[in-house]
Each structure stands twice: as C-alpha cells, then as structure tokens.
Amino acid sequence: MEFAIDEATRRRLDEARELGEKEIRPVGLEADRKGEPIPVGHAFFDRCLERGEGRTRWRRPGSPRAEAPAPRTTVATLLLAEELAYWDRGVIIAMPGPGLPEQSVLGMGTEEQKERSLGPFVEPDRPRWACFAMTEPGAGSDAAAIRTQARRDGSGWVLNGAKCFIGGASRSDWILVQATLDPSAGRSAQRAFLVEQGTPGLGGFKVERKMGLKAYESTSFTLEDVRLSGDSLLGGEQRYERKAGFKAAMQTFNAGRPVIAANAVGMARAALGESIRFARAHELLARDRIRDRIEAMARKVRKARLVCLRAGWLADRQRPNIVEASMSKALAAQVAQESASLALELIGVVGGAGDHLIEKLYRDAKAMDIVEGTGQVQRMIIARQLVGLPR
Ligand SMILES: Cc1cc2nc3c(=O)[nH]c(=O)nc-3n(C[C@H](O)[C@H](O)[C@H](O)COP(=O)(O)OP(=O)(O)OC[C@H]3O[C@@H](n4cnc5c(N)ncnc54)[C@H](O)[C@@H]3O)c2cc1C
C-alpha cells in the first residue's frame, strides 16, 4: 500500500488546518459551552458559503466539465476528514450542504429528483441543509424494524411515523425519509421518500439533548398523514418495482463508515496533541506514567489510521472493503474513546472542572461508536463476512 499525499491534497490539508484553528475549534467550543447547536443564522455558516463549501457534487447534465469539482481519491477524503475532525467533529457535521443523503440521490434519484433536491445546492443563495432519517424510537441498530409507513394514495403517497436523532432535521430543506410499505415484510418493503420542509403533517421538531457533539442538532420529528406526490419516491416507480429501498439506505451508510473512522482518528489525535501540550506546559514529560499514556495514545492512533486508510485504498481500487470499512469504524471509534480517557487521566483534576478541551473530547468521542452502526453491529458484520455468511 502506498499513501503518498499529492500536492493538491497537501494544500487542502494545510487549508483545513488553518480553517480548523481559526474557525472550527472556536465555534465548536462556543457551541459546547452554550450547550446548543450552532444557530442557523450564525455568521460561520455564511463564511462557509463564501469559501465555496455547502455545495453539491452533482452537475446539471450538459454543464461544462470545468464547473465540476476536481475528483478526490477516497484516501484524500479520509485524510481531510481526519484533519477537520481534529479541530471539531461536531462543527463539520453542522456545516451546510446536502450531507448524508446526497450519495443516495446521486446513485438512485431520477434526473428530475436530482434537479429538485440537489439543484439548490449547486450555487446556494444561503446556507442550506438536507438530512437522512432512518432511526426511530423503536428501530436503531435493527434498521429493518422501522415502522414509519408509506401507503399509496392515488398516484401519490401518505406517510405516518416518527423519527429521532436525525442530524439537522429542523433546518433541512428536505429530508430523505426511510419508510416501509408493510412493517411485517422486513427490508424488501422499505423505500426512501424525499419530504420537503413545510409539507403539511411534517412537524413536532424537537432538538434532543446530547452529551457531546453539541455543535449540530440531532432532532426528533413526526409525520402525520404527510401527503406526497408520486415523484417523491426516490428513484421513481422503477425503484418501487426493484425493491431497492433498503439497499439505498445501506449504500448511504457504507459510504460513510471509513469517513466516520477517519473523524474518530482525528479526535483521538486531538486528545494526544492536547495531552502532549498539557504535559509540556506543566513540565510533566519527565514522568514515566505520563509518557506511558502518550505512547499508548500514539500507538492506537497509528493503528486506527492505518486500518482506515486501507479501507480507503481498497475503495480507490474498486476492491471489496466491507470488512475493512467496518473494522476501521469499530476500531477508530474505540481508539477515540480510549485516547480521550487516557488524556483525561493525564490532565487529572483539570479535566474534572468540565471546561477543558479534553473533557469535551471525552464526551464527543462516545457518539462515534454509535452513529452509522454501533461497534457491536460493525463486529457482527465483520464476523459474518469472515465466515462467509451474508450481511
Ligand atoms: C449523535 C447521534 C447522531 C445521529 N444521527 C443520525 C442521523 O442523522 N440519522 C439517523 O437515521 N440516525 C442517527 N442517529 C441514530 C443512530 O444511528 C442510532 O442511535 C444507532 O443506530 C443505534 O441505535 P439505538 O440508539 O436505537 O440503539 P439500539 O439499536 O437499541 O442498541 C442499543 C445497544 O445494543 C447493541 N446491540 C443492538 N443490536 C445488537 C445485536 N444484534 N448484537 C449485539 N449488540 C446489539 C448496540 O450496539 C447498542 O450498544 C444518531 C445517533 C447519535 C447518537
């Protein structure tokens, strides 16, 4: 394997570092201290747009090639994801853009759906968001158990149900809602629907309280007799017949696992960096037990980064990476928690005061083991793959 960094990626990493130090870290600390998500009208989001962020990768058919952003390798994407999360993982999730469901719309949406949902993100006139809603009060890890129901209504659809912990739901222009045509029929009955903000019946938004990653909102909401037109079904009637709804959701998650892992590596590296800074400032580096913790963190960070980059390296070569993607997610999330814990021990009572970056990292890190498939679920996927059982 070869992970040499090309000039363009190196430049992007330098830019991310500068942005992280100047903007991302301070905004993240501010949100954490206030205990609430960065508000929609925050000037940080306007500056994101001015820098060219918050845009879609989609290009209108026939638009000049030069308009499209330069393609980026998965390895380069992962390195950037690590660097940005080093500064604040909550803030990068809060940033505007079509987010998690973009890949599903790109892969499965009709041309008309791409125009409707991604068009406003080509040159956004204001910060815009979109989100993906799978989790329900009674269906988390077992995504096949969702109860939000979609029923035919003439040429359209009616949705009823409830979702929870959905990133950015109340501020999203549209929500890709995963629903079932028949709750007793399992995965094959699932379909994804594009639900626009303001659609009657979509409401009850409640931003959840969280122990960490406070910079972005995680929100519950309800769907009560939400009437949608026929073209709200992702992929249109063709997809209805091909039963590809659950696959669409899983594609969303598969694309995300190594990126979550890279974020977790960045957070672990932040705990390591802060520990060294603290130990140096307090003249603790001569103590064995301090260096012992620093060594443990550095070793874990390197191990997790290597597994993560291997998942990306395989993806860049279009080679199967299910095992590596899940391994990287399971391992890196654990390493982030262990590193934050070791760092908290290292700074001692200072961490207990509740306003140190390491204490924040300790609270932020836990979510990395939960989002987009918990550690246990990743380990189940790995084990099934290793013995040749279907996922
Ligand atoms: C910060 C945050 C952001 C989120 N953002 C989103 C979002 O944007 N969109 C979205 O749809 N969802 C989102 N979620 C929800 C997240 O995907 C779920 O929390 C996750 O799938 C776990 O589901 P659960 O919390 O219901 O736990 P459960 O599934 O109830 O699991 C509870 C515990 O049991 C374990 N467990 C479950 N099944 C098994 C098994 N078969 N074998 C062994 N152990 C098992 C789990 O690992 C876990 O430790 C978010 C969650 C958080 C915390």
Side-chain angles (χ1 to χ4, degrees):
M1 281 181 298
E2 154 86 74
F3 300 130
I5 303 177
D6 60 89
E7 215 21 67
T9 304
R10 194 173 295 285
R11 224 178 16 254
R12 283 199 192 110
L13 286 170
D14 287 344
E15 286 163 10
R17 199 164 300 129
E18 204 186 317
L19 179 69
E21 196 168 3
K22 260 208 324 243
E23 294 243 36
I24 296 177
R25 175 74 53 82
V27 172
L29 286 170
E30 179 189 313
D32 189 68
R33 284 181 189 144
K34 287 187 176 159
E36 48 193 53
I38 307 169
V40 172
H42 198 293
F44 170 71
F45 294 136
D46 296 321
R47 293 197 291 275
C48 289
L49 281 203
E50 283 159 22
R51 281 191 301 269
E53 291 147 16
R55 285 157 170 74
T56 176
R57 285 177 284 143
W58 176 71
R59 286 296 169 264
R60 289 193 173 86
S63 60
R65 264 189 93 70
E67 247 191 65
R72 193 185 286 166
T73 64
T74 310
V75 165
T77 301
L78 296 177
L79 290 169
L80 267 171
E82 178 190 323
E83 183 59 36
L84 289 167
Y86 173 90
W87 298 103
D88 198 302
R89 200 266 172 177
V91 175
I92 59 174
I93 301 302
M95 281 156 100
L100 202 55
E102 182 185 31
Q103 191 54 42
S104 295
V105 176
L106 286 173
M108 310 188 89
T110 63
E111 287 310 310
E112 187 276 327
Q113 287 170 338
K114 287 177 197 166
E115 175 61 56
R116 186 155 41 100
S117 52
L118 298 178
F121 290 90
V122 174
E123 277 303 331
D125 51 342
R126 58 171 171 81
R128 291 175 179 274
W129 290 266
C131 66
F132 173 65
M134 168 70 97
T135 304
E136 299 181 0
S141 301
D142 184 8
I146 60 165
R147 288 286 173 275
T148 293
Q149 198 159 2
R151 72 176 158 76
R152 283 266 195 204
D153 178 43
S155 61
W157 297 92
V158 177
L159 263 55
N160 278 288
K163 298 285 179 183
C164 62
F165 261 93
I166 309 305
S170 80
R171 63 186 68 191
S172 288
D173 284 11
W174 49 270
I175 304 173
L176 187 65
V177 173
Q178 194 75 6
T180 176
L181 306 175
D182 175 1
S184 65
R187 299 168 177 205
S188 66
Q190 285 193 18
R191 300 292 183 274
F193 294 86
L194 291 158
V195 181
E196 282 173 30
Q197 196 68 262
T199 307
L202 170 66
F205 290 100
K206 179 178 169 289
V207 177
E208 315 270 3
R209 275 168 57 82
K210 282 190 296 196
M211 66 184 279
L213 300 181
K214 298 189 184 195
Y216 75 99
E217 57 156 284
S218 296
T219 302
S220 56
F221 63 88
T222 51
L223 301 122
E224 288 175 18
D225 287 330
V226 173
R227 286 176 195 283
L228 303 174
S229 57
D231 58 8
S232 304
L233 171 67
L234 186 67
E237 287 300 317
Q238 200 189 349
R239 287 285 169 199
Y240 174 71
E241 294 306 332
R242 283 167 57 186
K243 301 184 178 174
F246 193 77
K247 197 171 148 215
M250 290 302 113
Q251 271 184 0
T252 303
F253 289 136
N254 282 339
R257 279 173 186 151
V259 176
I260 303 282
N263 288 164
V265 172
M267 293 161 81
R269 183 158 66 81
L272 169 64
E274 280 306 303
S275 297
I276 296 175
R277 224 184 318 278
F278 181 91
R280 182 163 289 126
H282 291 81
E283 297 180 358
L284 299 172
L285 287 170
R287 298 189 191 172
D288 277 347
R289 66 186 174 82
I290 296 288
R291 290 200 308 276
D292 180 63
R293 288 187 168 87
I294 289 172
E295 181 279 330
M297 282 184 250
R299 174 164 35 84
K300 287 169 193 287
V301 168
R302 263 187 215 193
K303 180 171 63 175
R305 183 190 287 126
L306 278 174
V307 176
C308 178
L309 290 180
R310 180 166 162 75
W313 184 85
L314 287 169
D316 281 335
R317 278 148 194 83
Q318 270 139 42
R319 283 167 54 185
N321 75 343
I322 293 175
V323 169
E324 286 77 7
S326 284
M327 263 184 193
S328 67
K329 163 77 170 69
L331 178 63
Q334 204 175 336
V335 162
Q337 292 175 83
E338 289 168 358
S339 297
S341 177
L342 285 163
L344 205 52
E345 288 171 18
L346 189 146
I347 64 171
V349 287
V350 175
D355 61 354
H356 196 279
L357 175 63
I358 288 178
E359 179 268 342
K360 174 179 178 298
L361 282 165
Y362 184 77
R363 286 184 286 106
D364 286 353
K366 178 60 195 168
M368 306 310 288
D369 197 48
I370 301 174
V371 298
E372 296 192 35
T374 65
Q376 283 95 342
V377 169
Q378 302 305 330
R379 290 189 280 280
M380 276 166 42
I381 294 172
I382 297 164
R384 290 180 77 86
Q385 286 287 317
L386 292 178
V387 299
L389 286 171
R391 294 174 73 202

